[in-house]
Amino acid sequence: AQSVTQLGSHVSVSEGALVLLRCNYSSSVPPYLFWYVQYPNQGLQLLLKYTSAATLVKGINGFEAEFKKSETSFHLTKPSAHMSDAAEYFCAVSEANTGGFKTIFGAGTRLFVKA
Amino acid sequence: SQTIHQWPATLVQPVGSPLSLECTVEGTSNPNLYWYRQAAGRGLQLLFYSVGIGQISSEVPQNLSASRPQDRQFILSSKKLLLSDSGFYLCAWGGTVYGYTFGSGTRLTVV
């Protein structure tokens, strides 16, 4: 069965610094992997997705993530943080099972950006 | 383009009262639709999903029910709310392979 672990419920960076949000997954079959962003009192927005094509996936707002099968990781990065990046980020994994596909979300990481 | 509408944005209801949250999708036909709940400081819990009119699958037995009376309409209901039903409810459409599009959410407070 699949699972998702986001390391660090809170991450704080300075404006202009590298953003690194960690996500590790477990899956018995090749997974589909996603990152979503949620601003306060809003729904989630899809940032990027990995669907077995290129291992380095580029998303919106300058974010990217790299699928590393050997490490079962899908960490989210952005070279230079902006104040507007302050939000909560969710990693998610989908895999096929007997009932079809199922998506599991991580517990989320809240990103703080300091001026 | 596809859009998803969810209302109301906020709701305060007394314990024991009924609930009806509505979600509609535009710009697509026969979408897979989902209801998620997000408790304070926690991740997302899938409550119901639907692959077509009248077809509802429940992931977690609880005090809630869902219905899909029309192709692009998904309703979450309860006959009697409990304090534990408080949370942020999100409607979504899409697929587990290509990702979800979420509505803006309803914050429900049961008092």
Side-chain angles (χ1 to χ4, degrees):
Chain A
Q2 76 261 47
S3 66
V4 180
T5 302
Q6 291 186 240
L7 300 176
S9 58
H10 297 83
V11 170
S12 182
V13 301
S14 298
E15 191 173 21
L18 171 71
V19 176
L20 171 60
L21 305 182
R22 301 177 186 272
C23 173
N24 287 88
Y25 70 92
S26 68
S27 176
S28 56
V29 297
Y32 297 92
L33 297 161
F34 308 85
W35 276 99
Y36 291 85
V37 61
Q38 184 180 33
Y39 298 98
N41 294 313
Q42 294 187 27
L44 280 70
Q45 180 183 10
L46 182 64
L47 268 180
L48 49 80
K49 60 189 176 189
Y50 167 75
T51 55
S52 75
T55 56
L56 182 62
V57 181
K58 295 186 182 298
I60 62 173
N61 301 339
F63 284 93
E64 62 183 34
E66 186 172 8
F67 171 65
K68 292 187 176 180
K69 184 178 179 180
S70 61
E71 299 177 10
T72 61
S73 68
F74 191 57
H75 302 331
L76 181 71
T77 60
K78 182 174 180 177
S80 177
H82 192 272
M83 296 297 289
S84 61
D85 294 326
E88 189 152 22
Y89 293 80
F90 293 90
C91 182
V93 59
S94 292
E95 69 171 25
N97 54 36
T98 55
F101 277 88
K102 188 169 185 177
T103 298
I104 300 294
F105 285 84
T109 297
R110 186 167 295 279
L111 176 65
F112 297 92
V113 182
K114 299 174 292 185
Chain B
S1 63
Q2 302 91 352
T3 57
I4 181 167
H5 302 281
Q6 192 178 340
W7 68 91
T10 60
L11 194 59
V12 179
Q13 293 284 98
V15 169
S17 64
L19 173 73
S20 180
L21 303 181
E22 188 164 343
C23 170
T24 59
V25 180
E26 295 179 357
T28 185
S29 59
N30 197 30
N32 291 336
L33 296 173
Y34 306 82
W35 278 111
Y36 279 89
R37 177 169 60 198
Q38 189 176 22
R42 300 176 66 176
L44 279 77
Q45 179 186 33
L46 178 62
L47 302 176
F48 302 94
Y49 69 92
S50 171
V51 298
I53 296 174
Q55 301 179 62
I56 308 295
S57 296
S58 173
E59 287 293 302
V60 181
Q62 56 204 322
N63 187 40
L64 301 169
S65 62
S67 61
R68 186 166 176 177
Q70 301 181 40
D71 181 45
R72 289 172 286 180
Q73 183 185 31
F74 203 24
I75 297 172
L76 182 69
S77 304
S78 174
K79 292 182 179 179
K80 290 186 177 182
L81 284 169
L82 306 171
L83 287 174
S84 58
D85 292 323
S86 294
F88 193 50
Y89 288 82
L90 291 159
C91 180
W93 76 273
T96 52
V97 172
Y98 298 104
Y100 297 115
T101 298
F102 284 87
S104 54
T106 296
R107 184 161 303 282
L108 171 67
T109 304
V110 183
V111 297

